[in-house]
Amino acid sequence: MGLQVYRSDYCGDLAARDVGRKVILAGWVHRRRDHGGLIFIDLRDREGIVQVVFSPEVSAEAFKIAEAVRGEYVLRVEGEVRRRPPGTENPRLKTGEVEVYATACNILNRAKTPPFLIEDEINVDEDLRLRYRYLDLRRPEMQEAIRMRHRAAKAVRDFLDAHGFWEIETPMLTKSTPEGARDYLVPSRVNPGRFYALPQSPQLFKQILMVAGMDRYFQIVRCFRDEDLRADRQPEFTQIDIEMSFVDVDDVLSLSEALIAAVCREVAGVEVKTPFPRLTYADAMEFYGTDKPDLRYGMRLTDVSDLVAGSEFKVFAGAVAAGGCVKGIAVPGAASFSRREIDELTRYAALFGAKGLAYIQLTPEGPKSPILKFFKPGEIEALAGRLEAGTGDLLLFVADRRPVVQRSLGALRTHLAAMLGLVPAGFAFLWVVDFPLLEYDETEQRYVAVHHPFTAPREEDIPLLATDPGRVRAKAYDLVLNGVELGGGSIRIHRREVQEELFRAIDLRPEEAAEKFGFLLEAFEYGAPPHGGIAFGFDRLLMLLLGRKTIRDVIPFPKTQSAQDLMTGAPAPVTAHQLAELHIRLQLKEPAVARAQVSGPLVGSKGN
C-alpha cells in the first residue's frame, strides 16, 4: 500500500478545535451502522472513539470498503474533521462534537466475531474474559485501568525520586527462605538437585542494601507466593517496596502517607487528609475485632463485662467469672429484625467460634428479648447507654473467651454494615501499630513471627524475648484502607545479637539460622545502620482507588482462582527431555499432582 504514516492523531483526542483538519486515524471498528446513503463507523483506539462518516459523494472507494467492514476489523482512515450537524452531537463521547468524513480507508486486518461485546459493564463469565484477555483488554474500562496503573507507577517513581530514593533491582532467582507461604521453586540445570526460589519479597536484599550504604531504596517489584487465592491475592503480584536507613517508625509512616496521598491525587483525583489516624493492634482488636478495621462506619465493639458480671443471666456472668468477657454492638435501625434474621446472624457468628448470640431489640414499645427476664430494672437501660443505642436499634452480645468474642463480633460488624448499606463512599486510611512480635503456633508447638523474623522488637520489650515472648511488641505497622490491608512494614533488627536472640525465641537452631540467613548475620557484623521500610500491594491499592472488586481487573494478565492462565494454558506439562536436562523425575499422584509441602513456617501471614 506504500503507507508512510499509519496515523496522525488518536481517535479519542479529536475535538472542535480540530474542525477543518486532515487527519489519519487507525483503530478498531467499535460499531458500524449502514444508513443506506451513508455508513457510520465508530472507530476506537486506546484514547477513545470517534465517529467516521463514509459517503459515496466524498469517496466512492472508501464507501465501498466500508460496506465490507465488520466489528473489530482494524482500519486506517484518512479524512477531514467536521463539526456534527446541530442536534446530532453525542455528549457521552469526548469527541461527540465532531466526526471525520473519510476520504480513504484501508482494512489492515479482518476479525472474527468476538465471543463477547467489546464494551463496558458486560455480563460475561470471568473465565471467558480471561481466556480472551486480549479482547477483554480492549474494553474502555480495562484500558482505563491499565492507564491508571501506568500513572500510579509513574507517580510513585516521581515522588520517591524527589525524596532521594534510588530504584534498585534485586534478584528474581534467589534462595528458598519460606516466609509464611510456599515458594515457587526453579530447578537449576547446571547445579543438579539444587533449586532457586522466586522471591516472596525482596526483604533480605533490601536490608543488605542498607548495610551497603544505599540509604534510600525502592522498587516496584514482582513477588511470588504459592498460596491459595482470593479476590485480592495472586500467585504473582506487584508491590511498592521501600527501605530507608537511619529512621524510626514516625519517619517511615510520614513518608508513606505523603506517597499514598500523591498516588491518590494522581489516580483517583482526591485529596486525602494526613496524618492518618493510628490505632494500636490491641485497640483495633478491642474495638473492632480485627487488625484491619474499616473506619467508615460505627458499630464499635463495646465491653459490658462489668455491667453483667453480677447478672442473673448465667451465660454472661459465667463467661466473666471464667476470665472471658461480654461485648456488644449496636446495629442502627435493626430492631425490626425477625427471629429468622437473628437466627441467621447467630449462625454467621458461629462460623467464627461464637457459641451463641444474645440480642435485645429496642422497639418503640420497649425492649424485647428472650433474656429480659434475667435482668433487673435499669440494667437494660445501662447496657443500651453503654452501647450508645436508642429506640429502633438492635443490641447483639457475645460472651466467651476474649479472642472468640472479638473475632465473631468483628465479623458480624463487617457483615451487617455491608448487608444494611451502612458503608459510605470514600477512603478511610488507618495505621495499625504495635503488633505482637510473636504468636504461638499450636501446630508447630513454638512461637512464630507475626510479620517476619527480621522485625525489631520495641526496645523496652527486648528482655521479654527470653522470658515471655508472647508479650513482646514489634516496631511494626500496617496501613489499612477501607478494611483492607494495603501494606505493612517494620523497623528492622540491625544488630546480630538481637537477631540471634529472636531466632532462639522461635526455636530456630543456630545451624539452621546460619544455613538460611548466615549472609545477613555476617553483614550485621560490618556496621549495619538502623533501618526500616514498608511494602504496599500495588495491585490492591489500584483495586481500591478505582473501585474494582478484584485485583484481576487491574492486572493485565492475571491468573484464575486456581492459579491458571486461561489464555496461554499455563501451567503446562513439559517434555521428558526438559525434565531429563534438569535431572527431575515426576512422581504423580492420581488424579492430581501432589503439592510439595514446605517445612514449617518461620513467620506468620504478614510480609514486609
Side-chain angles (χ1 to χ4, degrees):
M1 292 183 290
L3 301 178
Q4 299 301 312
V5 178
Y6 267 113
R7 67 178 166 209
S8 62
D9 297 84
Y10 281 107
C11 296
D13 287 344
L14 298 180
R17 65 178 179 274
D18 298 303
V19 170
R21 283 185 56 220
K22 301 290 194 298
V23 296
I24 304 173
L25 306 175
W28 287 263
V29 175
H30 187 68
R31 193 172 284 110
R32 176 185 177 276
R33 303 177 300 283
D34 191 336
H35 288 192
L38 295 174
I39 295 175
F40 296 88
I41 287 178
D42 292 340
L43 195 65
R44 184 191 71 243
D45 59 23
R46 75 173 196 184
E47 299 302 323
I49 294 172
V50 69
Q51 179 171 278
V52 181
V53 183
F54 292 83
S55 168
E57 296 180 1
V58 175
S59 173
E61 182 180 356
F63 184 84
K64 183 177 181 180
I65 292 173
E67 289 181 312
V69 164
R70 296 295 179 265
E72 296 308 306
Y73 275 31
V74 186
L75 303 185
R76 176 186 182 273
V77 175
E78 297 181 39
E80 179 184 342
V81 181
R82 299 185 185 180
R83 189 178 295 275
R84 290 198 189 195
T88 67
E89 298 90 346
N90 186 350
R92 292 174 297 176
L93 291 179
K94 287 193 304 179
T95 60
E97 292 184 278
V98 299
E99 57 193 5
V100 175
Y101 267 72
T103 56
C105 178
N106 300 97
I107 297 175
L108 301 178
N109 212 340
R110 290 169 170 77
K112 297 196 301 185
T113 301
F116 51 81
L117 296 176
I118 310 300
E119 60 187 29
D120 293 343
E121 298 180 1
I122 53 174
N123 184 20
V124 176
D125 183 76
E126 187 183 48
D127 282 357
L128 185 64
R129 290 174 51 205
L130 295 180
R131 165 68 178 82
Y132 296 95
R133 188 62 164 179
Y134 43 85
L135 297 178
D136 191 42
L137 286 172
R138 288 184 191 174
R139 297 190 302 115
E141 66 178 0
M142 291 303 301
Q143 298 227 329
E144 182 63 14
I146 303 307
R147 182 207 304 267
M148 288 297 101
R149 188 180 180 97
H150 156 72
R151 293 185 64 172
K154 184 177 184 301
V156 169
R157 288 189 167 96
D158 290 347
F159 177 91
L160 292 174
D161 176 69
H163 285 76
F165 285 81
W166 293 354
E167 185 169 11
I168 305 174
E169 296 174 334
T170 52
M172 285 289 108
L173 296 176
T174 183
K175 186 177 182 180
S176 179
T177 54
E179 293 189 15
R182 298 178 182 89
D183 283 325
Y184 278 102
L185 301 177
V186 181
S188 171
R189 180 182 60 82
V190 296
N191 297 281
R194 294 180 177 269
F195 293 81
Y196 300 104
L198 299 181
Q200 294 188 33
S201 85
Q203 181 62 47
L204 297 178
F205 287 103
K206 66 180 181 178
Q207 289 193 247
I208 291 294
L209 286 171
M210 296 303 101
V211 179
M214 297 300 169
D215 197 78
R216 291 193 161 202
Y217 142 95
F218 87 96
Q219 192 178 185
I220 301 178
V221 60
R222 300 290 277 181
C223 300
F224 306 84
R225 293 179 187 174
D226 187 7
E227 60 185 350
D228 297 331
L229 305 182
R230 298 194 298 271
D232 60 348
R233 295 286 177 91
Q234 281 279 294
E236 54 178 323
F237 57 94
T238 304
Q239 67 184 35
I240 305 167
D241 204 56
I242 296 171
E243 198 78 5
M244 299 179 277
S245 292
F246 305 107
V247 293
D248 211 333
V249 172
D250 287 343
D251 302 297
V252 180
L253 269 52
S254 60
L255 179 123
S256 298
E257 289 170 350
L259 169 62
I260 293 298
V263 175
C264 289
R265 192 178 305 117
E266 181 66 26
V267 174
V270 299
E271 294 289 338
V272 298
K273 183 179 179 181
T274 60
F276 302 153
R278 300 184 191 183
L279 268 182
T280 65
Y281 170 84
D283 283 347
M285 298 303 296
E286 184 75 12
F287 299 131
Y288 300 99
T290 174
D291 61 359
K292 39 184 177 291
D294 191 337
L295 299 189
R296 290 177 296 173
Y297 53 91
M299 291 194 293
R300 292 207 331 175
L301 281 57
T302 303
D303 199 315
V304 296
S305 302
D306 60 316
L307 297 180
V308 300
S311 76
E312 296 178 9
F313 188 41
K314 300 305 180 186
V315 173
F316 283 3
V320 177
C325 69
V326 182
K327 288 192 171 194
I329 58 173
V331 187
S336 60
F337 271 24
S338 67
R339 182 57 187 266
R340 181 181 60 82
E341 289 173 310
I342 293 174
D343 286 345
E344 288 176 357
L345 295 179
T346 303
R347 286 190 289 272
Y348 186 81
L351 297 175
F352 301 90
K355 299 182 182 67
L357 185 66
Y359 68 92
I360 300 173
Q361 296 163 296
L362 301 180
T363 72
E365 295 77 30
K368 293 183 179 180
S369 171
I371 67 173
L372 288 182
K373 58 187 176 183
F374 299 107
F375 291 89
K376 300 172 183 177
E379 290 181 334
I380 298 299
E381 289 79 2
L383 288 171
R386 176 70 62 85
L387 270 61
E388 299 181 353
T391 300
D393 295 343
L394 173 67
L395 310 184
L396 298 174
F397 302 93
V398 175
D400 210 312
R401 293 180 297 111
R402 190 169 294 273
V404 173
V405 172
Q406 292 172 337
R407 184 170 60 245
S408 55
L409 267 185
L412 266 179
R413 173 183 181 267
T414 303
H415 176 70
L416 284 162
M419 185 174 77
L420 298 175
L422 301 178
V423 184
F427 301 132
F429 289 95
L430 166 72
W431 288 110
V432 178
V433 299
D434 290 348
F435 282 85
L437 181 68
L438 306 171
E439 61 186 355
Y440 194 76
D441 188 308
E442 295 291 347
T443 303
E444 291 287 314
Q445 293 291 294
R446 65 183 177 91
Y447 282 99
V448 297
V450 171
H451 281 73
H452 54 60
F454 317 108
T455 298
R458 290 176 61 110
E459 285 81 359
E460 62 268 33
D461 291 353
I462 290 178
L464 295 172
L465 278 173
T467 60
D468 194 356
R471 289 178 52 203
V472 179
R473 293 165 297 170
K475 299 179 79 169
Y477 31 82
D478 280 359
L479 182 60
V480 177
L481 172 56
N482 296 353
V484 177
E485 180 195 333
L486 196 58
S490 66
I491 301 301
R492 323 302 187 186
I493 296 171
H494 68 281
R495 301 202 311 269
R496 176 168 184 150
E497 63 273 18
V498 178
Q499 185 66 74
E500 289 179 328
E501 190 168 356
L502 189 141
F503 284 158
R504 284 192 294 272
I506 61 174
D507 286 344
L508 188 64
R509 299 187 309 275
E511 57 271 22
E512 188 178 358
E515 178 187 351
K516 293 181 179 296
F517 309 114
F519 65 95
L520 181 69
L521 294 171
E522 184 178 38
F524 284 173
E525 296 180 325
Y526 288 90
H531 59 282
I534 194 167
F536 299 105
F538 187 56
D539 312 304
R540 201 174 296 180
L541 174 61
L542 286 167
M543 176 187 74
L544 293 170
L545 294 185
L546 297 178
R548 304 302 174 90
K549 294 182 179 179
T550 164
I551 61 172
R552 292 188 293 279
D553 280 347
V554 297
I555 298 174
F557 300 103
K559 305 291 189 294
T560 66
Q561 292 279 5
S562 56
Q564 292 180 307
D565 182 338
L566 298 181
M567 186 182 73
T568 65
V574 296
T575 66
H577 175 71
Q578 288 174 295
L579 292 173
E581 281 193 321
L582 296 169
H583 308 281
I584 290 176
R585 180 184 294 115
L586 294 182
Q587 186 175 358
L588 303 180
K589 290 183 179 179
E590 297 297 340
V593 177
R595 297 186 72 181
Q597 299 295 315
V598 175
S599 60
L602 293 176
V603 302
S605 60
K606 294 184 177 294
N608 286 266

